[in-house]
């Protein structure tokens, strides 16, 4: 069977980088395997999954180049009747039951099958004893086994599990005398609704069964059935719950591999059971490591840009963000960090997804983004820059020739297009001076005297070009007894108001003689 994967977000506004990374990994896997990458929009939260939120999701996917197959996407709200029909099938098969909650209507609850061995991956691991608090009676009914464990202080601690978690259950007192045996009562409990209350219990003895599956990322995973409860699949208001809807939709779309965040690991054990009880083949699972901050906590807006829209709005390139997120929790097996989509697709495999959490490094992403910007064709960089600069008031007076010259000088230094805001000094008459930088660079009397000399030397240059500018600056250094290069940063502060930028000789040439001389005068008078 051909590989079929899906990205199944619940759009509620902005798209978190953790969600879009899951989409990227699904996309890469599908393209590597020659399979299909599907989009399913889980829009059953009608209050939050607004048309605007869905539009934001689709726009983000288009910007990142995450083209999906089999359009239009599957909307979960269109599947509700299939979800409810599946719940009825489970009821008819005895794999679900109706339950009134808190005096409201009846919910439908998925019952973890008592004959659990029919579920792939379920096996027995032997007999276990679980101590219980004798002051609280053990309750046995079709919803499970409820009891009180014993806390470290010896007090009752709430406990319980599904009925399937206690195969061959015996309830014993402190002397290990049998107070209750489940054997022979299963039908009365499951079919007829019989209930039993057993006071004075001290030990639960039963055959422990576990459900196991192989995760393509995390390895072999297992969970004891006695740590599980039956789960609601249709609410009392008649709306399907995530567990049922998710599984039915995966069956509808013929999904073969489910690649998602590891916050869904616990859900997977129940989903495997639902697939089996609905007569479907269980997909292969792969759970991705969480994206964390420097402290190892889940990465969020508090840590900086966390939504795809934030990165786009701050001038990150789609290919750079795609590249970075592809390597956040996955490795090609070598030292490559800058990879094209074609290279990522060719190298991608689930076996190389990392087990540990992936730490977001915004500086690393910023540097990678700078590489992508530096490699842009000059005309593309010019066009993007021109569009980006429209948001700044000072750009209205910028000519095409000016902008083209500045772009040619500055492209290799740009890390994000948001950095273009710092270009204002090329286009305004008086730059916005960084007080701290200027005070530091212009306080030395010898430097100030040398800058005065530079003004005269600049004024006398027959050709105001980088080579002559460099010679004039070196001559001023010689006259003042300063090492060559000693005036570069003070001069930068004086003519740009900043402490960073492109080569100072080329910058001064681009600013022009008149503007450079005027700014030298202003800076020396002000600081």
């Amino acid at each position: 069977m051909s590989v079929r994967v899906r990205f199944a977000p619940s759009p509620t506004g902005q798209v978190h980088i953790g969600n879009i990374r899951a989409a990227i990994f699904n996309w890469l896997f599908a393209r590597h395997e020659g399979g299909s990458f599907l989009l399913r929009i889980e829009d059953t939260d009608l209050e939050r999954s607004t048309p605007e939120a869905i539009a934001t999701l689709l726009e983000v996917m288009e910007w990142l180049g995450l083209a999906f197959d089999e359009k239009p996407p599957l909307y979960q709200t269109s599947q509700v009747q299939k979800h409810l029909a599946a719940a009825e099938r489970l009821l008819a098969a005895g794999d679900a039951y109706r339950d009134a909650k808190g005096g409201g209507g009846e919910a439908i609850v998925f019952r973890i099958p008592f004959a659990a061995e029919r579920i792939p991956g379920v096996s027995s691991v032997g007999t276990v004893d679980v101590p219980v608090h004798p002051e609280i009676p053990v309750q046995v009914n079709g919803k499970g086994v409820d009891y009180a464990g014993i806390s470290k202080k010896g007090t009752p601690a709430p406990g319980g599990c599904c009925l399937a978690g206690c195969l061959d259950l015996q309830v014993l007192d402190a002397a290990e005398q049998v107070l209750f045996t489940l054997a022979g009562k299963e039908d009365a409990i499951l079919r007829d609704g019989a209930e039993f209350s057993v006071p004075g219990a001290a030990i639960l003895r039963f055959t422990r069964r576990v459900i196991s599956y192989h995760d393509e990322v995390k390895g072999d995973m297992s969970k004891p059935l006695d740590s599980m409860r039956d789960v609601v699949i249709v609410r009392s208001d008649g709306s399907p719950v995530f567990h049922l809807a998710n599984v039915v939709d995966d069956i509808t779309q013929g999904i073969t591999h489910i690649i998602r965040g590891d916050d869904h690991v616990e859900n997977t054990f129940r989903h495997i059971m639902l697939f089996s009880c609905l007569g479907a083949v269980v997909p292969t699972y792969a759970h991705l490591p969480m994206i964390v901050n420097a402290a190892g906590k889940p990465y969020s807006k508090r840590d900086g840009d966390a939504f795809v829209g934030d990165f786009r709005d701050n001038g990150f390139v789609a290919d750079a963000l795609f590249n970075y997120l592809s390597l956040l929790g996955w490795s090609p097996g070598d030292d490559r960090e800058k990879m094209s989509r074609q290279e990522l697709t060719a190298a991608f495999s689930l076996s190389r997804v990392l087990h540990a959490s992936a730490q977001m490094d915004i500086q690393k992403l910023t540097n990678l983004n700078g590489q992508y910007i530096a490699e842009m064709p000059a005309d593309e960089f010019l066009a993007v820059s021109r569009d980006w600069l429209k948001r700044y008031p000072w750009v209205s007076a910028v000519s095409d020739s000016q902008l083209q010259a500045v772009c040619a000088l500055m492209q290799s230094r740009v890390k994000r297009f948001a950095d273009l805001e710092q270009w204002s000094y090329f286009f305004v008459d008086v730059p916005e001076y960084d007080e701290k930088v200027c005070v530091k660079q212009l306080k030395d009397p010898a430097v100030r005297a040398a800058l005065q000399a530079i003004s005269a030397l600049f004024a006398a240059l027959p050709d105001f070009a980088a080579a002559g500018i460099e010679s004039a600056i070196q001559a001023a250094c010689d006259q003042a007894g300063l090492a060559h290069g000693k005036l570069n940063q003070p001069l930068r502060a004086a003519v740009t108001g900043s402490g960073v930028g492109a080569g100072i000789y080329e910058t001064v040439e681009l600013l022009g003689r008149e503007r450079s001389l005027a700014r030298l005068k202003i800076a020396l008078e002000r600081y």
Side-chain angles (χ1 to χ4, degrees):
M1 180 185 291
S2 176
V3 161
R4 292 173 65 83
V5 299
R6 48 65 166 181
F7 175 45
S10 301
T12 57
Q14 298 290 345
V15 182
H16 192 275
I17 55 170
N19 290 337
I20 210 68
R21 185 194 59 165
I24 289 171
F25 279 35
N26 275 279
W27 188 91
L28 288 171
F29 181 69
R31 296 297 177 254
H32 178 85
E33 297 291 335
S36 299
F37 169 66
L38 309 182
L39 174 63
R40 179 167 78 237
I41 297 177
E42 299 192 340
D43 58 340
T44 50
D45 185 344
L46 298 178
E47 288 187 8
R48 301 175 69 201
S49 294
T50 62
E52 293 78 14
I54 293 170
T56 296
L57 167 70
L58 296 174
E59 183 182 309
V60 159
M61 292 185 67
E62 182 178 5
W63 180 68
L64 282 170
L66 287 170
F68 56 93
D69 305 306
E70 300 183 13
K71 297 176 175 61
L74 179 67
Y75 287 83
Q76 196 165 70
T77 48
S78 71
Q79 291 277 100
V80 171
Q81 293 308 311
K82 284 188 178 181
H83 304 155
L84 297 178
E88 292 296 330
R89 284 177 55 195
L90 294 169
L91 282 168
D95 290 324
Y97 56 89
R98 298 185 185 276
D99 184 39
K101 297 282 187 179
E106 285 189 322
I108 299 177
V109 182
F110 174 64
R111 171 180 282 131
I112 294 175
F114 192 79
E117 283 77 11
R118 66 187 171 99
I119 305 296
V122 172
S123 60
S124 298
V125 295
T127 301
V128 297
D129 285 358
V130 175
V132 297
H133 203 288
E135 293 180 5
I136 309 297
V138 174
Q139 308 290 335
V140 182
N141 55 46
K143 300 178 187 178
V145 179
D146 286 287
Y147 57 87
I150 303 173
S151 72
K152 291 182 180 180
K153 295 181 179 180
T155 56
C161 64
C162 60
L163 191 66
C166 293
L167 182 65
D168 306 322
L169 173 66
Q170 290 184 321
V171 181
L172 312 176
D173 63 16
E176 297 202 19
Q177 297 299 306
V178 177
L179 303 177
F180 172 85
T181 300
L182 179 60
K185 302 180 181 67
E186 297 92 345
D187 286 350
I189 293 171
L190 294 172
R191 296 181 187 175
D192 303 329
E195 299 186 20
F196 300 89
S197 181
V198 187
I203 300 170
L204 301 184
R205 180 170 292 160
F206 55 88
T207 300
R208 172 166 284 164
R209 294 183 288 184
V210 300
I211 178 169
S212 304
Y213 76 94
H214 180 75
D215 191 292
E216 293 297 303
V217 173
K218 303 182 80 67
D220 293 332
M221 307 291 290
S222 64
K223 185 175 181 65
L225 300 193
D226 56 288
S227 68
M228 301 175 71
R229 289 276 197 176
D230 296 344
V231 61
V232 173
I233 53 174
V234 178
R235 301 179 185 88
S236 57
D237 65 2
S239 60
V241 170
F242 160 77
H243 300 289
L244 178 65
N246 191 265
V247 167
V248 170
D249 293 348
D250 282 331
I251 294 171
T252 297
Q253 292 188 293
I255 300 303
T256 63
H257 294 71
I258 295 176
I259 305 169
R260 59 188 180 184
D262 61 9
D263 54 325
H264 283 291
V265 166
E266 282 296 307
N267 295 330
T268 298
F269 298 105
R270 290 182 176 85
H271 291 185
I272 288 171
M273 294 181 177
L274 280 165
F275 275 109
S276 298
C277 291
L278 290 170
V281 176
V282 177
T284 299
Y285 284 91
H287 288 94
L288 308 177
M290 184 180 297
I291 298 177
V292 299
N293 60 19
K297 303 295 184 182
Y299 189 83
S300 71
K301 185 66 177 174
R302 292 188 300 273
D303 302 303
D305 290 344
F307 302 120
V308 178
D310 294 336
F311 291 98
R312 181 181 55 189
D313 293 345
N314 281 319
F316 284 84
V317 177
D319 284 343
L321 185 60
F322 186 102
N323 184 165
Y324 180 78
L325 291 178
S326 298
L327 295 173
L328 196 59
W330 173 80
S331 166
D334 51 39
D335 295 330
R336 285 179 293 174
E337 292 187 345
K338 185 175 183 297
M339 300 176 68
S340 68
R341 289 173 193 251
Q342 292 75 18
E343 291 170 327
L344 289 164
T345 298
F348 191 83
S349 71
L350 292 174
S351 64
R352 297 206 64 87
V353 176
L354 307 179
H355 299 183
S357 298
Q359 183 178 325
M360 182 71 180
D361 185 340
I362 193 67
Q363 189 58 54
K364 189 173 182 180
L365 168 58
T366 301
N367 290 336
L368 180 64
N369 196 64
Q371 293 180 51
Y372 273 88
I373 291 176
E375 293 177 3
M376 276 185 175
D379 57 346
E380 181 183 347
F381 179 74
L382 175 62
V384 175
S385 297
R386 182 184 290 114
D387 186 63
W388 188 274
L389 288 169
K390 288 177 182 176
R391 66 195 68 197
Y392 305 124
W394 44 262
V395 81
S396 58
V398 177
S399 68
D400 283 347
S401 59
Q402 274 184 299
L403 181 57
Q404 189 168 0
V406 172
C407 284
L409 176 63
M410 298 298 290
Q411 180 173 355
S412 64
R413 302 189 64 85
V414 174
K415 300 292 187 184
R416 308 171 307 153
F417 279 100
D419 296 343
L420 270 59
E421 184 177 10
Q422 300 166 13
W423 287 6
S424 63
Y425 62 79
F426 281 111
F427 306 109
V428 298
D429 289 331
V430 180
E432 185 174 327
Y433 287 100
D434 184 320
E435 296 286 325
K436 195 172 183 180
V437 169
C438 291
V439 168
K440 177 182 176 182
Q441 295 296 339
L442 303 177
K443 65 182 179 180
D444 186 335
V447 167
R448 296 175 65 82
L451 290 176
Q452 292 281 9
I454 284 178
S455 295
L457 291 167
F458 279 1
L461 284 174
D463 180 23
F464 201 70
I469 291 166
E470 180 180 6
S471 297
I473 295 171
Q474 290 178 355
C477 287
D478 292 339
Q479 290 175 22
L482 298 173
H484 286 185
K486 183 69 174 177
L487 291 178
N488 288 3
Q489 283 301 93
L491 178 61
R492 183 187 304 282
V495 299
T496 71
S498 173
V500 294
I504 188 59
Y505 315 131
E506 294 79 9
T507 299
V508 171
E509 177 184 359
L510 201 50
L511 288 171
R513 190 195 314 262
E514 289 185 11
R515 189 177 287 169
S516 297
L517 291 174
R519 292 182 182 183
L520 271 167
K521 184 175 185 296
I522 291 170
L524 290 172
E525 290 175 350
R526 185 176 296 184
Y527 298 101

